[in-house]
Each structure stands twice: as C-alpha cells, then as structure tokens.
C-alpha cells in the first residue's frame, strides 16, 4: 500500500503502511488472509478472530533473542523476542522497558497447593511498568497504532488495560480514550488511568456493555481499538511464555496456570507455545490450565460440557480483572486449550482470596484475579486431577497494590461474623509505652 493511501475500512492514513507491508493477519474461522498494515479487529470476510501470521522457517537458536537490536529494544522483555513478533519498524516502537519479570520458586506456595518442594514457580507480571501483564500487549498494540498513523487509541477495560493504554499512549504522544464500567473497578487502576492522562468515560453497565459500546464507536469513528480482539496486542502477551521458558532454560513445566477473563492471554499462550514448538525451542508443550472465577466462568462451563455449547453469563466476582461474562477470545482460547491438552476450571471468591493471602504473606503479593491461578492449582491437586509430583508455573497477572481495597476487606473486615484465618489486623494504641507494650504482649504472645 502506498504511504498516503487511505485504508479501505475508514481507518487512519497508514503513514508507515509501506513498512508494514510484510505483515499479515489470518482469520481463525475462515482462513482469509488480510494485510496487517491497518487497524483490524475482526476478519473483513466473516467477522472471525484474527491472528498475526508469524512465519517460522526452521529451528530458532535462542541466542538470537535480543541480538542486533537497538539498546532500548534489546532490553525490552517483549522486543527481545523480535524473531517471533510482527516486524513493526523500529521508529514506530513505543517501549517502556516492559517484561523482564521475575520467576520465583516458592516452596511454601508449593506446599499450600499440595505439590512437592520445588514444583511451583510464579511468574510475576505485576513487575511491569504499569504493574500488570497488559504492558506486554500494549507495547505492540500502541506501536502498531503508531505505525498505521492512528490518531486516537481506545479500549474498554476493567482497569489494567486502561492503565496500560494510558501510559503507552502518553509515551507515544497520542491521545487515548478509555471506557470503564461505572461500578466496581479498583481505585488504584482508575487513578493510574487518570494520572497518565487518558480521557476516561464511565459507562452505565459492566465491562461487556462498555466493550460493545466502544466497538460501535470504532466502527464509525477514526479510533484505533486496542482491546484483546486486536491481534497485535496478543503478540506481545506471547512473551510471558517466551520469557518464562527462557528462564527455565527451555525446560517446560508440566502445567502453565493462568487466570482467564476475556481469554486474550489464554489465546496468546497457546499461540506462543505452538510457535516455540515449531521453532524447536521446546520439545514438549506444557498443558495450559485456565482458571476462572466461579461467578464469571462461561469458559469453564463450555469446557465442562465438552465444547458443546458456549453461553455468556452475567459476571460477578471479587476479582474484577476477570469479571467478564462474554470473553472476546473464546474461540482462540479453546484452540489453545485443545492444542496443549489443557484444562479449564473455576474457583470461588473465597478460594481466590485465601490463595491471594498466601501469595501475599510469602512476600510476593498479587491482585485478586492473579491468585485464581494458585487457587485453581490447589483445587486440581486436591481433586487428584494434577499429580503431587507435577511441576507448575502460575502466572501472577497483576501487582498487590492494584487493589488495596481487596486487601483491606480481607484482613480488616469480618467474614460471616469472624475474621478470616490469618487476618493481619493493625493494632491501635494510645501514644504511650505501657499501652504499646500491653498491646504487643497480647498480640505476640496471646
Ligand atoms: C486482564 C487481566 C486478567 C485476565 O486476562 P485475560 O487475557 O482477559 O483472560 C487477569 N488478571 C489481571 C490482573 C488482568 O489485568
Ligand atoms: Zn474470516
């Protein structure tokens, strides 16, 4: 496409479109291939979900990762993996040194989940620039938006996507628009989004309503959508898997466990594992375990029913990041679970919050949705579905500070008339030494 040519879908002028000429997207439903030099979130032929085509010609030597890139890109935990990402030109890339997150081995968490010492690691995606894994997708999504000459970038979000978009759009010098549900999104996430300068619109309704409304807007307006229906975002999220396997010296665990909300990550993880396998970087594929909150578990029900029938639900859970009743990436996520021989389960809010308290108390910390991974692992071990000598990596998707209200509610409030087991309540004392000593004696010896 010529540099000044208008794109057919009414999107923005593709200023760097020529440089994106080699990038293609393929519809997973009908197989139609479209050029990747324009904003596209659905197949132009049938409306199906799209994948970015990543050609893998033969085995890849892991030593190539990070090699031959400009410093900032070589340091990024996303762009280091350029041979397995769409070839967006350097000058369009908006990177904030994302990724490079720690992979912790923790034997207390292994014991809590019912597995042997050494069997559980957690990949802490809360260590990204805006404190969730969303940054890995956003660096690719916003870079693609910049490459195609988008003027405004937008998303609907339960909080973390909006915080990430706001930050990356600010870094790119582009205006951003965020639609959030008017109820129950965390104050921390909303604060980030406002602080980074996005135009925030609170929509009367839940996430699913907000996304449907935004999709109507992007059909009519010149706005680039970065929700996870955008195939470029998922390309960045693949690097959670790449980096984890690299940290494990390319020795896969038996299970890779993650929370499932809109199922973009599940979609990305399956694609990542397929590509690693094709590139002969791994010689076996870990099983994906997708864990949903019981009050927002349409994908778990779909799996339970042998993929017979998918039905959206009205979502309700304390884990707001996975409070999604009609996941956008269901079809792609099913493909991921099937490809890996994986499984899908769900856990109640109490299990999520107890798992979170364990993760927090070992000094790691995460937000509620993240803890669904460990809660699901524990449940599957208890059920005998996962053997006690299996190995697992649980993905912690967001930082403990993302939802401080959830921490306060767990530790400070009674639950059915009683404190939670392990509730850690601050003491209140008068400002004199005897009062302090009395309170401490009770607390430490009592
Ligand atoms: C977005 C998000 C999820 C859910 O990921 P999906 O790709 O929508 O399934 C889980 N945890 C956190 C912290 C998130 O921000
Ligand atoms: Zn199609």
């Amino acid at each position: 496409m010529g540099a000044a040519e208008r794109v057919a879908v009414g999107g923005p002028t593709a200023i760097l479109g020529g440089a994106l000429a080699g990038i293609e997207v393929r519809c997973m439903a009908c197989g139609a291939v479209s050029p990747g030099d324009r904003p596209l979130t659905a197949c132009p032929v049938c409306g199906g979900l799209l994948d970015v085509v990543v050609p893998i010609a033969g085995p890849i030597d892991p030593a190539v990762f990070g090699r031959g890139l400009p410093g900032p890109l070589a340091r990024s935990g996303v762009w280091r993996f350029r041979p397995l990402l769409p070839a967006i030109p350097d000058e369009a890339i908006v990177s904030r040194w994302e990724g490079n997150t720690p992979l912790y081995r923790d034997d207390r968490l292994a014991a809590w989940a019912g597995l042997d010492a050494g069997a559980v690691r957690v990949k802490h995606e809360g260590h990204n620039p805006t404190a969730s894994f969303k940054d890995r997708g956003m660096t690719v999504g916003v870079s693609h938006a910049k490459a195609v000459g988008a003027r405004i970038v937008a998303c609907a979000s339960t909080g973390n996507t909006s915080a990430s978009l706001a930050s990356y759009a600010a870094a790119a010098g582009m205006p951003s628009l965020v639609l959030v549900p008017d109820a129950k999104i965390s104050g921390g996430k909303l604060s980030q989004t406002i602080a980074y300068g996005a135009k925030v619109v609170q929509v009367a309704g839940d996430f699913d309503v907000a996304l449907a409304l935004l999709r109507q807007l992007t059909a009519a307006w010149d706005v680039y959508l970065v929700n996870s229906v955008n195939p470029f975002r998922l390309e960045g999220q693949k690097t959670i898997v790449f980096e984890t396997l690299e940290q494990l010296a390319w020795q896969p665990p038996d299970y890779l466990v993650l929370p499932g909300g809109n199922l973009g990550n599940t979609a990305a993880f399956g694609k990542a594992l397929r590509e690693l396998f094709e590139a002969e970087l791994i010689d076996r594929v870990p099983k994906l375990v997708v864990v949903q909150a019981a009050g927002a578990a349409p994908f778990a029900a779909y799996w339970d029913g042998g993929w017979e029938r998918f039905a959206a639900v009205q979502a309700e859970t304390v884990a707001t990041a996975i409070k999604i009743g009609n996941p956008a990436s269901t079809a792609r996520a099913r493909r991921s679970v099937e490809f890996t021989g994986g499984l899908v389960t769900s856990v109640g809010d109490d299990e999520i919050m107890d798992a979170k308290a364990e993760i927090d108390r070992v000094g790691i910390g995460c937000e509620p949705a993240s803890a669904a991974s460990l809660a699901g692992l524990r449940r599957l071990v208890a059920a005998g579905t996962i053997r006690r000598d299996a190995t697992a990596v649980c993905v912690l998707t967001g930082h403990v500070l993302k939802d401080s209200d959830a921490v306060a509610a767990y530790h400070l409030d009674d639950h059915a008339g009683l404190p939670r087991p392990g509730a850690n309540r601050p003491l209140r004392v008068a400002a004199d030494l005897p009062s302090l000593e009395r309170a401490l004696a009770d607390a430490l010896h009592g």
Side-chain angles (χ1 to χ4, degrees):
M1 163 177 296
E5 196 179 330
R6 293 288 299 178
V7 298
V9 289
T13 306
I15 47 168
L16 291 171
L20 295 178
I23 303 177
E24 290 178 329
V25 294
R26 185 189 294 118
C27 172
M28 74 161 287
C30 77
V33 173
S34 312
D37 60 356
R38 62 200 66 189
L40 273 182
T41 51
C43 171
V45 178
C46 78
L49 291 165
L50 300 171
D51 293 311
V52 176
V53 178
V54 175
I56 295 174
I60 291 179
D61 175 357
V64 303
F65 295 134
R67 207 182 268 169
L69 295 174
L73 300 190
R75 282 191 292 272
S76 163
V78 171
W79 295 103
R80 229 156 26 83
F81 297 102
R82 197 94 169 271
L84 293 169
L85 297 177
I88 294 172
D90 289 2
E91 59 272 26
I93 290 178
V94 184
S95 171
R96 291 203 51 222
W97 210 329
E98 51 284 319
N100 301 302
T101 60
L103 180 69
Y104 299 119
R105 169 183 163 170
D106 194 287
D107 290 351
R108 286 168 291 181
L109 297 181
W112 190 78
L115 294 179
D116 294 344
V120 172
R121 285 179 169 74
V122 295
K123 177 67 171 161
H124 205 331
E125 289 295 305
H127 288 242
N128 270 290
T130 76
S132 84
F133 75 82
K134 298 297 198 298
D135 295 338
R136 292 189 187 255
M138 208 52 75
T139 181
V140 181
V142 170
S143 298
H144 183 255
K146 194 173 158 193
V148 302
R151 291 191 303 114
I152 302 174
V153 281
C155 72
S157 171
T158 58
N160 282 334
T161 302
S162 62
S164 184
L165 172 63
S167 167
Y168 279 80
M174 296 168 92
S176 60
L177 166 68
V178 163
L179 269 58
V180 296
D182 64 354
K184 282 206 204 145
I185 90 159
S186 98
K189 296 174 188 180
L190 186 58
S191 307
Q192 279 183 294
T193 309
I194 293 169
Y196 296 136
K199 177 50 66 190
V200 177
V201 182
Q202 292 185 297
V203 176
D206 60 12
F207 168 82
D208 299 299
V209 169
L211 179 58
L213 184 61
L214 182 61
R215 293 194 82 161
Q216 289 175 36
L217 182 78
T218 53
W221 283 41
D222 188 0
V223 170
Y224 182 103
L225 183 70
V226 292
N227 275 94
S228 56
V229 285
N230 178 321
F232 288 90
R233 250 190 65 197
L234 298 193
E235 290 299 299
Q237 290 172 207
K238 292 188 316 192
T239 64
I240 303 170
V241 173
F242 297 163
E243 200 177 272
T244 301
L245 270 299
E246 186 182 56
Q247 287 165 320
L248 292 171
W250 308 102
Q251 297 302 309
D254 298 323
Y255 296 95
L256 193 48
V257 190
L258 75 166
N262 222 4
L263 302 175
N265 243 359
T266 306
F269 280 31
K271 189 169 189 284
L273 289 168
R274 179 185 286 277
E275 289 168 2
L276 290 182
F277 190 74
E278 284 176 4
E280 296 179 27
L281 284 158
I282 54 174
D283 58 11
R284 67 195 165 85
V285 175
K287 293 182 192 305
L288 283 184
V289 178
V290 184
V291 187
Q292 297 207 288
F299 191 58
Y302 187 33
W303 187 78
D304 275 338
W307 307 121
E308 282 284 315
R309 196 179 72 89
F310 176 83
V313 302
Q314 184 70 43
E316 189 50 61
T317 169
V318 64
T320 53
I322 52 174
K323 187 180 162 190
I324 289 164
N326 191 14
S329 284
T330 298
R332 286 190 288 221
R334 172 179 168 179
R335 179 182 61 186
S336 292
V337 172
E338 289 184 319
F339 170 67
T340 67
L343 54 151
V344 187
T345 191
S346 63
V347 289
D349 280 3
D350 285 356
E351 290 170 274
I352 289 175
M353 292 310 292
D354 287 342
K356 173 177 149 54
E358 295 296 323
I359 295 163
D360 292 352
R361 202 162 46 220
V362 299
I364 292 174
C366 66
E367 69 166 280
S370 313
S373 57
L374 187 70
L377 180 62
R378 176 174 154 107
R379 177 180 270 257
L380 292 168
V381 173
T385 310
I386 290 181
R387 292 163 48 118
R388 302 184 65 89
D389 60 354
T391 56
V393 171
C394 293
V395 179
L396 302 183
T397 45
H399 196 274
V400 66
L401 289 176
K402 282 286 192 176
D403 194 345
S404 51
D405 290 348
V407 177
Y410 186 88
H411 290 281
L412 307 185
D413 297 351
D414 282 348
H415 192 76
L418 292 169
R420 296 273 196 160
N424 181 17
R425 294 188 171 171
L427 306 172
R428 298 182 72 89
V429 299
D432 61 77
L433 186 59
S435 301
L436 176 61
E437 287 181 329
R438 219 170 19 250
L440 288 179
D442 288 349
L444 299 178
H445 307 299

